[in-house]
Amino acid sequence: MPGIDKLPLEETLEDSPQTRSLLGVFEEDTAATSSYFSQLFKAMQRIYDAQNELSAATHLTSRLLKDYEKQRFPLGGDDEVMSSTLQQFAKVIDELSSCHAVLSTQLADAMMFPITQFQERDLREIVILKEVFQISSDDHDTAVNRYSRLSKRKENEKVKNEVMEDVYTSRKKQHETIMHYFASLNMLQYKKKIALLEPLLGYMQAQISFFKLGSENLTQQWEEFLTNIGTSVQKNIKKNYKITKT
């Protein structure tokens, strides 16, 4: 239904079939929103879990490289050059591990927090309000049915007044709940846009900060070190290849 962006609060007291029909459209939209955000939440949770795992694995790799010199290999002997090289690698990877840890924290704050809030607070509120509205509507229908079954005899006047008071009270409560329900459904149309964009912005900003932080830590000195190691490895591969061919 194009062009409809809110439920008319001024028509809640009348509670017409047209208003109920429009409410059904908003409830259908809310259900679709809830389903979509549930899938998006799971996808972002996988990103966050994967980043935490990468951070932990990077830290473990750095620690194992630091421990290399403490190992005793029966055929390896004491290789000071290898130990020194791995210590340098450990230092680089340790810096990367710190970058990954920062990224994990940023993803938790800027990506997971806002979408979790939307799931657990805003969408949950709609579910609760719908239940409260349904209960108040059922109570009002029950009161109206009791009133319609009353006898018109005078001896039932006291009971009639009690039932009429019950109808009035239940109608007032229903009107209050439907006003609150409609207002929350209307607000959800705006909240869901923010809830979609905010975690995406948080994710991209966290990634940009991570790349900048990595670029600052991987200085020219480390680039030269890695280049030298790569050249040395290639020379050893060629050397071993020639030995095996002779």
Side-chain angles (χ1 to χ4, degrees):
M1 300 177 67
I4 298 175
D5 58 356
K6 67 176 184 177
L7 287 161
L9 299 182
E10 63 276 6
E11 295 182 13
T12 55
L13 185 60
E14 182 180 354
D15 194 19
S16 64
Q18 291 81 4
T19 302
R20 285 298 184 109
S21 177
L22 184 58
L23 172 61
V25 176
F26 272 71
E27 288 180 335
E28 183 180 351
D29 183 84
T30 300
T33 298
S34 179
S35 175
Y36 176 80
F37 271 88
S38 178
Q39 298 176 65
L40 185 62
F41 175 84
K42 291 177 181 178
M44 290 185 171
Q45 185 68 55
R46 289 179 63 184
I47 292 174
Y48 178 60
D49 291 342
Q51 179 56 42
N52 284 336
E53 179 62 26
L54 180 57
S55 177
T58 306
H59 177 72
L60 176 60
T61 300
S62 173
R63 183 173 64 81
L64 289 172
L65 292 178
K66 291 177 182 178
D67 291 344
Y68 177 83
E69 61 183 4
K70 300 176 183 178
Q71 307 302 312
R72 294 295 178 264
F73 299 104
L75 299 179
D78 295 328
D79 191 339
E80 294 182 1
V81 175
M82 177 60 75
S83 295
S84 175
T85 301
L86 292 182
Q87 288 300 312
Q88 289 180 283
F89 265 116
K91 188 175 182 179
V92 177
I93 295 175
D94 194 46
E95 291 182 359
L96 286 174
S97 176
S98 298
C99 294
H100 281 295
V102 171
L103 176 56
S104 293
T105 301
Q106 291 178 333
L107 289 178
D109 295 338
M111 182 181 74
M112 294 310 302
F113 179 74
I115 195 171
T116 300
Q117 283 286 94
F118 182 70
Q119 287 271 102
E120 297 180 355
R121 182 188 61 191
D122 299 318
L123 289 177
R124 178 59 182 164
E125 179 189 34
I126 295 297
V127 173
I128 294 174
L129 288 175
K130 182 178 181 179
E131 293 174 353
V132 172
F133 168 62
Q134 188 60 55
I135 291 172
S136 66
S137 295
D138 291 343
D139 290 344
H140 179 255
D141 290 343
T142 300
V144 171
N145 288 335
R146 283 185 61 197
Y147 178 77
S148 64
R149 292 196 302 268
L150 281 178
S151 170
K152 295 182 179 180
R153 291 179 300 177
K154 290 184 178 181
E155 58 265 33
N156 290 326
E157 193 67 25
K158 181 179 179 181
V159 177
K160 181 179 180 180
N161 289 336
E162 291 177 352
V163 174
M164 288 178 63
E165 179 65 22
D166 190 23
V167 171
Y168 170 78
T169 303
S170 62
R171 182 70 185 99
K172 181 180 179 181
K173 183 178 180 180
Q174 183 196 34
H175 183 234
E176 291 174 350
T177 57
I178 196 173
M179 284 278 289
H180 194 182
Y181 186 35
F182 276 29
S184 295
L185 285 172
N186 287 338
M187 185 59 65
L188 187 67
Q189 295 301 309
Y190 300 97
K191 285 183 177 180
K192 70 179 182 181
K193 297 175 183 178
I194 298 174
L196 180 59
L197 295 176
E198 189 175 4
L200 293 176
L201 287 172
Y203 170 75
M204 295 305 299
Q205 289 170 351
Q207 293 290 352
I208 291 172
S209 297
F210 171 73
F211 291 129
K212 286 183 178 179
L213 189 61
S215 177
E216 292 170 359
N217 287 338
L218 291 176
T219 60
Q220 183 67 27
Q221 177 184 351
W222 291 123
E223 291 179 1
E224 292 177 359
F225 162 70
L226 295 174
T227 300
N228 292 336
I229 292 297
T231 301
S232 177
V233 169
Q234 290 299 320
K235 288 182 178 178
N236 283 325
I237 291 176
K238 292 179 180 179
K239 181 180 179 181
N240 291 333
Y241 178 77
K242 289 180 180 179
I243 293 175
T244 55
K245 293 290 288 185
T246 58

